[in-house]
Amino acid sequence: MTPEQVAAASKPLVLDLGEAYGRCPVTLRRARLLGISGWAFYVSGRAGALGDVRAETVAAALGFLSPDAVADGWDGAARTVRPFEVAAASLAECCRWGAQHLDDAPRVDRLALLVERAVAAADASGMPLFAAWRAMLVPGRTPGARAAAALRQLREHFTAAYLLAVRASGMTPLEAVLAGPEGEAGAMACGWPPPYPPVGPLVRRRLWAEAVTDRLAAPAFAALGPVDGAELVELLTVTRAHLGAVARSHPAA
């Protein structure tokens, strides 16, 4: 597989696995322990890696969220706890989830190694949030914790690459969300209020942006080579299937 093929094949898997810990009820309880809302935990948990910056800077880095919604979450959390502390708590929850849910996944130690190699090789130019997450100290050292943290970091790389590609396509972040699979529901979830522009003319631009995203992310996977790149895609697929099987066996887990 070429690096771009690995990027294209791994992207949906990384986007899903890299945020799976955030859907865990235990992770959501961490927000209550910090005394902040779930939305504030999400915004500061992602952007808190940047440190004590203004909400406008956070909105620029996150890109796809409404600036007003970002300000609500960011400023709401900052009144109670410093942003970097929320990011550290989010990363700790990510590692906890990984140790709990991925340690028994097939060949998870190999998955962790390959994703860590891709993260280390990724070009962070124009991607301050990814660079900030990559610089954070990962507290968990089990294979599952390492894999979860590296997937979280690689997810920020893909998201940042997509934001750059969207802007290069001439679309606004809102237009990209509307042209995505969730459409107006996705825009509302990201805090953008209606009315919305028509989606039809945006679909072709979004497909172009997706292809550019793969090209921007490709250097991270070039470091793996074609054999290890194909193995990474295989392991990501196996890991998602493992999580699905566990969820079906233990619906309350």
Side-chain angles (χ1 to χ4, degrees):
M1 299 179 74
T2 68
E4 284 189 30
Q5 288 173 330
V6 175
S10 65
K11 180 169 59 182
L13 298 164
V14 170
L15 292 177
D16 181 37
L17 293 170
E19 69 168 3
Y21 81 98
R23 300 189 291 268
C24 174
V26 178
T27 299
L28 298 176
R29 284 201 293 269
R30 187 66 173 262
R32 292 196 294 271
L33 292 175
L34 290 171
I36 59 179
S37 69
W39 178 249
F41 184 77
Y42 173 76
V43 172
S44 289
R46 279 189 68 193
L50 296 170
D52 296 325
V53 298
R54 296 175 63 87
E56 293 86 350
T57 302
V58 176
L62 295 178
F64 297 106
L65 303 182
S66 157
D68 289 341
V70 167
D72 285 345
W74 183 258
D75 293 338
R79 286 191 288 268
T80 302
V81 60
R82 296 189 66 180
F84 191 82
E85 293 179 32
V86 184
S90 181
L91 181 56
E93 289 299 323
C94 179
C95 290
R96 174 206 54 80
W97 177 89
Q100 181 178 351
H101 293 274
L102 299 183
D103 271 353
D104 60 347
R107 295 156 59 201
V108 67
D109 52 343
R110 180 65 175 164
L111 173 66
L113 177 63
L114 291 176
V115 180
E116 287 170 345
R117 283 172 55 192
V119 168
D123 184 355
S125 302
M127 303 178 178
L129 189 53
F130 165 66
W133 265 89
R134 185 167 62 178
M136 291 187 69
L137 179 64
V138 176
R141 300 313 305 166
T142 73
R146 287 172 46 217
L151 286 164
R152 178 69 186 79
Q153 293 167 335
L154 193 56
R155 188 183 194 282
E156 286 295 351
H157 183 59
F158 270 121
T159 303
Y162 185 52
L163 180 58
L164 291 174
V166 163
R167 302 302 292 124
S169 75
M171 284 192 295
T172 67
L174 169 59
E175 289 173 334
V177 173
L178 288 170
E182 297 181 3
E184 292 187 359
M188 293 183 67
C190 291
W192 298 98
Y196 302 118
V199 175
L202 304 174
V203 174
R204 183 171 297 180
R205 288 189 181 187
R206 180 179 178 273
L207 293 175
W208 182 88
E210 291 280 2
V212 172
T213 300
D214 298 337
R215 288 198 291 273
L216 290 173
F221 303 101
L224 301 182
V227 175
D228 286 354
E231 183 184 7
L232 173 61
V233 175
E234 175 195 356
L235 289 176
L236 289 169
T237 304
V238 167
T239 300
R240 187 161 71 171
H242 167 79
L243 290 174
V246 171
R248 288 190 294 271
S249 301
H250 304 87

